[in-house]
Amino acid sequence: MATTPATAPSATASTPTVVTRFAPSPSGHLHVGGARSALFCWAFARQHGGRMIVRIEDTDQKRSSDAASIGFLADLSWLGINWDEGPVHEGTGGGPHGPYFQSERLDIYNRCLQQLIDSGHAYYAFETPEELDTKRKAALAEKRAYRYDRAALLLSADQVAAKLAANMPAVVRFKCPGHAVTIHDQVLGDATIPAEEIDDFVIRKADGFPTYHFAVVVDDEFMQVTHVMRAQEHFTNTAKHMLLQDALGFRRPTYAHMSIICNPDGSKMSKRDKDKALRAAVKAKSTAQPQALSAAPIGPDGHPAVAQADWDRWLADKNVQLDFGSAARLAAALGVVLPEINVDDFRRSGYLPEVLCNFIALNGWSPGNDIEKFDNAFLAQHLRLERIQKTAAKFDRVKLLSFNTDAITGMPRESFIARARAHGEQFHAEFMRALPSGAFDRLAAASHERSKTLEDMFAGNAWAVASDDSPSITPDAKTIDKVLRKADPATGLSGLAHLENIAALLRSVPADQWTPEGLEPIITAYANEKAGWQMGKVAQPLRVALTGGTISPPIFDTLCTLPRERTLARLARVIEAAAGAAATAAAAGPTATA
RNA sequence: GGCCCCGUCGUCUAGCCUGGUCUAGGACACCUCCCUUUCACGGAGGUAACACGGGUUCGACUCCCGUCGGGGUCACCA
């Protein structure tokens, strides 16, 4: 380096600061593939003490670009991915290389564009999209790859000027130099794209906006990006970007293309997968009853799951996507489970952000040495571009769930309670309102070790916030028969008999002794004496009476979640109902009880 | 279809660059058993892969070629 001329930029610190960038198109939600790209960009920048930029690629005017369209910034924050430059969000963002919305950088693109035109590297073309489409289809029919025929190059300068003066719609195309391009990629290695594969692509659309290829190259240069890390779907595009860099006299950033994340069936994971699942279910239903298509199925609230207008539009066009609420209601009405695709879906489902990051990173990278559990700091420390997986990974939700379970059961109790409460406040306001804070903490503590997600705490404990006469906590006939009516051959006692005995015992327990610790000796003693030391014979009837089902936290906690009076009331209600049913059955004749 | 990339248990992956220590390791899932007041957790054990065919070599999961398979890309989308 001693021989470096004085004019070269900073000789000793010849390694420029690492700058990565996450450059999504505007969207309300971040999907897992994007999340991984962002995570790796973040980790690499942090590892090298560099900067990470978030840039919004909103050069497609057909897509909305209002504030809601960058809702994914909240997802990024939730995952713990912060950026040094980019849109301002919760205290981060801004920076000296803005604006960070491409739609606000038109003058920069136009300057570069003019440079390209002046130097003969780009030219105007006047074909309409329809004309091009026809030619493309013809080529396809002949099983030939379509390439732009450079017809516009035959136009004289005067002709071009005249068309432009007449305000004829025009695009600008890049004039490819006609040589093959070799991409050097940190994960994929070298790949050479033949010259014939790259035609004179459009760099500015008729509406004056740059195309993606052009904007990316210009922005990466002006924002001093050193490492381009993105999904493999962009790999072949890189050749175009390199040609553009050469023509513009730009640096060449380092490239690293990571594998795609797929569904279990091998198809590319996509935001449309939810609608796909819904369409499949609707189709199955309409095959059985064709009239089902005329309106959306009735949702859980008794109203059509989807508004008629939306329903019609959705049915008519496979590209139309349902909004979150409609999709969720329709899924409930059809009894299908929507696949989680977006980061926010996983958040709602009760996954921990650190687990999602860990798992996403593991789909496509591993540190070796059989290590698979790690946090973002570890990733930032150990990520090596060369170790990024070349092959596409199928996203295994079952394994994700297992990771989440481990993280939840492994955290301190207080942490779980706090996290569960935060999740509840965000997604289960009614649940939180129905349960006093102290009761919530006790229930959460009792539910900790059996929660695989934060959501389980709420889905599994709905009985705790139901009213005491709610149908949702009324045991069904099968359960009553099995748990309450059937007599234990060993003792001759039915569940109902135990229930009645326990209820009597419990009624004599004073309020200040109404705690899991206070109740346990009483019930244990009873079980030992009357149920042949089998707690299950006593616990299950109690559980059924209190929750309507056979699954709940440990029985003493379940007993103490509700106030004493309400617990007693639930017991009485079921005893009465079961006893009444038994009496009716007995009156109906001996066959009914056999 | 052209071009580019990829190919280890069902899945995520270790090993491959620097051939022998690989009778291929871990994790999730699955199966069996144990524990247990439900559900879950936990504990012990087990089934399970180098896509195929040629080379090179004393020796190939590891290097080379071909076949097959998968993915990506060929837009005035990004």
Side-chain angles (χ1 to χ4, degrees):
Chain A
M1 282 296 138
T3 56
T4 307
T7 49
S10 56
T12 42
S14 60
T15 320
T17 308
V18 164
V19 179
T20 62
R21 104 277 134 113
F22 177 56
S25 49
S27 162
H29 296 289
L30 180 67
H31 66 95
V32 294
R36 193 191 55 186
S37 294
L39 180 61
F40 283 11
C41 285
W42 172 89
F44 194 75
R46 293 292 165 266
Q47 175 174 113
H48 292 91
R51 305 196 312 270
M52 175 180 171
I53 298 175
V54 170
R55 182 176 70 221
I56 311 299
E57 312 235 316
D58 57 349
T59 56
D60 185 356
Q61 293 195 78
K62 287 191 283 291
R63 299 192 193 188
S64 70
S65 53
D66 55 15
S69 72
I70 51 170
F72 68 84
L73 293 177
D75 297 331
L76 245 24
S77 297
W78 182 68
L79 290 173
I81 299 170
N82 55 343
W83 54 99
D84 306 293
E85 293 181 40
V88 176
H89 176 82
E90 288 179 2
T92 51
H97 304 93
Y100 297 95
F101 288 77
Q102 290 185 329
S103 59
E104 295 169 19
R105 301 170 61 81
L106 260 34
D107 55 327
I108 303 175
Y109 305 130
N110 285 334
R111 269 205 314 274
C112 293
L113 193 87
Q114 197 54 51
Q115 182 189 334
L116 245 28
I117 292 175
D118 292 346
S119 61
H121 285 295
Y123 58 92
Y124 287 98
F126 302 91
E127 290 86 353
T128 64
E130 294 72 32
E131 281 176 76
L132 294 172
D133 207 43
T134 310
K135 289 186 182 180
R136 224 184 322 266
K137 279 183 177 138
L140 196 71
E142 293 170 41
K143 292 211 166 217
R144 213 181 65 227
Y146 171 77
R147 296 285 113 89
Y148 177 63
D149 58 13
R150 288 192 161 177
L153 235 32
L154 267 25
L155 265 29
S156 71
D158 289 344
Q159 283 174 304
V160 171
K163 283 171 186 282
L164 253 22
N167 258 333
M168 216 170 164
V171 300
V172 177
R173 286 180 181 271
F174 178 67
K175 191 174 167 190
C176 284
H179 59 253
V181 180
T182 298
I183 304 168
H184 304 288
D185 189 274
Q186 295 299 296
V187 349
L188 259 16
D190 291 359
T192 300
I193 312 294
E196 319 80 73
E197 288 302 313
I198 315 166
D199 74 351
D200 289 357
F201 55 97
V202 172
I203 56 179
R204 188 177 72 173
K205 311 179 219 177
D207 65 5
F209 275 58
T211 59
Y212 158 75
H213 301 299
F214 190 60
V216 158
V217 166
V218 171
D219 288 344
D220 284 347
E221 170 69 15
F222 282 65
M223 294 179 180
Q224 299 171 2
V225 170
T226 60
H227 294 259
V228 173
M229 301 166 70
R230 55 178 25 161
Q232 265 175 36
E233 61 201 72
H234 293 295
F235 186 63
T236 322
N237 290 334
T238 307
K240 293 178 179 172
H241 302 169
M242 291 168 71
L243 254 18
L244 243 17
Q245 284 154 3
D246 292 346
L248 255 5
F250 291 168
R251 296 163 301 122
R252 182 101 66 221
T254 299
Y255 287 101
H257 287 91
M258 47 201 127
S259 60
I260 308 250
I261 297 180
C262 298
N263 289 312
D265 69 2
S267 63
K268 187 171 156 187
M269 216 171 175
S270 140
K271 324 169 201 199
R272 299 198 189 288
D273 288 345
K274 284 197 232 180
D275 286 76
K276 222 154 93 185
L278 254 15
R279 286 179 197 283
V282 167
K283 192 180 170 193
K285 193 177 175 193
S286 64
T287 310
Q289 36 183 143
Q291 75 280 10
L293 284 180
S294 61
I298 303 303
D301 56 359
H303 299 290
V306 182
Q308 190 64 41
D310 292 339
W311 176 253
D312 291 338
R313 204 160 351 108
W314 186 70
L315 278 186
D317 184 353
K318 280 195 162 35
N319 290 317
V320 171
Q321 292 178 43
L322 252 25
D323 64 87
F324 183 85
S326 300
R329 284 192 300 276
L330 181 57
L334 291 167
V336 301
V337 178
L338 290 180
E340 293 108 340
I341 302 292
N342 298 320
V343 167
D344 189 55
D345 296 336
F346 289 100
R347 183 181 187 178
R348 283 173 191 278
S349 293
Y351 290 89
L352 271 20
E354 65 270 33
V355 170
L356 231 204
C357 283
N358 181 179
F359 192 70
I360 282 171
L362 197 62
N363 269 255
W365 176 81
S366 99
N369 298 117
D370 292 333
I371 296 171
E372 57 175 12
K373 300 277 182 71
F374 49 81
D375 59 16
N376 287 355
F378 179 95
L379 176 68
Q381 191 177 150
H382 296 276
L383 177 67
R384 295 289 177 276
L385 267 24
E386 305 78 33
R387 280 193 71 93
I388 291 177
Q389 201 70 23
K390 294 176 178 173
T391 44
K394 295 186 180 109
F395 195 81
D396 184 356
R397 288 190 181 75
V398 179
K399 183 158 178 172
L400 202 217
L401 218 213
S402 167
F403 273 37
N404 207 58
T405 306
D406 289 350
I408 282 185
T409 54
M411 71 173 67
R413 179 119 325 160
E414 308 73 55
S415 304
F416 175 75
I417 295 172
R419 295 243 225 172
R421 185 186 291 114
H423 185 78
E425 277 157 6
Q426 176 119 39
F427 300 111
H428 299 283
E430 268 178 60
F431 190 108
M432 300 308 287
R433 232 176 293 130
L435 218 53
S437 164
F440 177 84
D441 286 9
R442 274 197 306 279
L443 219 214
S447 303
H448 181 191
E449 59 183 345
R450 77 208 69 251
S451 291
K452 297 183 169 195
T453 67
L454 259 20
E455 187 66 16
D456 282 352
M457 162 65 202
F458 300 89
N461 290 321
W463 57 270
V465 294
S467 63
D468 294 338
D469 58 354
S470 165
S472 69
I473 59 158
T474 304
D476 58 34
K478 206 176 137 197
T479 306
I480 291 179
D481 195 56
K482 189 180 168 203
V483 180
L484 264 20
R485 304 262 305 275
K486 220 165 83 188
D488 177 10
T491 62
L493 291 173
S494 69
L496 181 59
H498 287 311
L499 208 51
E500 285 168 332
N501 296 341
I502 292 286
L505 281 174
L506 290 181
R507 271 194 292 274
S508 64
V509 175
D512 63 352
Q513 221 182 301
W514 196 264
T515 61
E517 299 73 32
L519 262 28
E520 178 162 4
I522 300 170
I523 294 174
T524 305
Y526 174 86
N528 292 349
E529 188 184 334
K530 295 284 176 58
W533 296 78
Q534 292 199 82
M535 178 58 81
K537 295 283 185 251
V538 178
Q540 283 308 79
L542 280 169
R543 212 179 313 265
V544 164
L546 292 173
T547 72
T550 55
I551 302 169
S552 84
I555 196 61
F556 307 114
D557 293 302
T558 301
L559 241 11
C560 295
T561 296
L562 263 19
R564 177 178 182 274
E565 309 316 321
R566 290 187 58 193
T567 295
L568 257 16
R570 287 192 181 191
L571 295 184
R573 172 175 175 256
V574 169
I575 289 170
E576 193 181 329
T584 314
T591 48
T593 49

